[in-house]
Amino acid sequence: MDVQTVIKLAAGAIIFAVCLVGYLHAVRKNDGHELTKKQKRVKKLWFMGLIIGAWFVVGVFITWFSQKKFHFAIDFEMFSERVELFGGFTVAKTTIIAAVSSAVIIAVLVLFRVFAISKFSAGRPTSVQNASEAIVEFLDKYVAGVVGEKAAKGLSPYMLSVALFMIGCAFSELFGLRAPTSDLTCTLALGFMTFFLLNIYGIKKHGVLGRLKSMGGAVPAMRPIMIPLKAVSDFAVPVSLACRLFGNMIGGMMVMDLLKGVLGGYASGLPAVAGLYFNLFHPMIQIYIFITLSLTFINEAME
């Protein structure tokens, strides 16, 4: 251990000791009486200093032990690395992660169906039943508000499945794995599902000729020109959805990697806090955007 490391440890230990004494003194001042706002503020400041001092000491130890230096680097791959399974057959690592994530979700849902839904009762609903019904009713109303009651019967279960799949992908990143939704092939697959659905529901609503007429517009003379243009526009839908989702998810992953790289040994604790946003809250926003845009495109095809 060099002199610089010893000095850092000593400085961190002094900060920790001073803040500990100050915090204990603030706690003893209570004596069973309620603290004033100023005393509460001082107590919080001492506690924050205590946390910072402990974090600094731990960071110095980790940096010295692992010899991990600060660095600013981006290792970016648009597509996931491939894994060889058998006979030279390779598959993307994100595909395996997505399959495992889907299997876990299916297993959880099967257990939920067997052990939870079987106990649902209209007379005495439990908190789990109330929460489940609230989620389903909210999604049904939201989907119906965009595409109508009739189309919502088939689209609501699919959109819930997409949401669960994307949540499972986001949770995989908490285990140090690359989220499948940060792979362009996965987001393209989701985008093309929306493309197929908007054409299926458009044809189901208007028929094949009616779908072509709706693509051509209200002026018959302009339809030979407008139909190819609208077809190109429809083909841009999955690309737009895929690139938007991919860009946002890969951006969150890169921010987390940069945070770990820049902080070096001092990254202990902070990536976990940042991960609550980039691995949980941020994906929920992207799920909402993806579902809303998909429903909007499907609704346009049915109009």
Side-chain angles (χ1 to χ4, degrees), residues 133-160 163 284-299 302:
E133 291 178 352
I135 293 172
V136 173
E137 287 176 3
F138 169 79
L139 186 62
D140 286 343
K141 289 180 180 179
Y142 183 75
V143 174
V146 180
V147 298
E149 294 283 347
K150 188 175 180 180
K153 292 180 180 180
L155 285 173
S156 290
Y158 169 73
M159 293 302 170
L160 181 58
M284 295 299 292
I285 297 175
Q286 300 310 316
I287 291 170
Y288 172 77
I289 294 173
F290 183 86
I291 289 176
T292 301
L293 290 176
S294 296
L295 291 173
T296 302
F297 289 130
I298 294 171
N299 184 59
M302 294 191 299

Side-chain angles (χ1 to χ4, degrees), residues 23 77 103 255 263 272:
Y23 179 76
E77 293 182 2
V255 169
L263 291 175

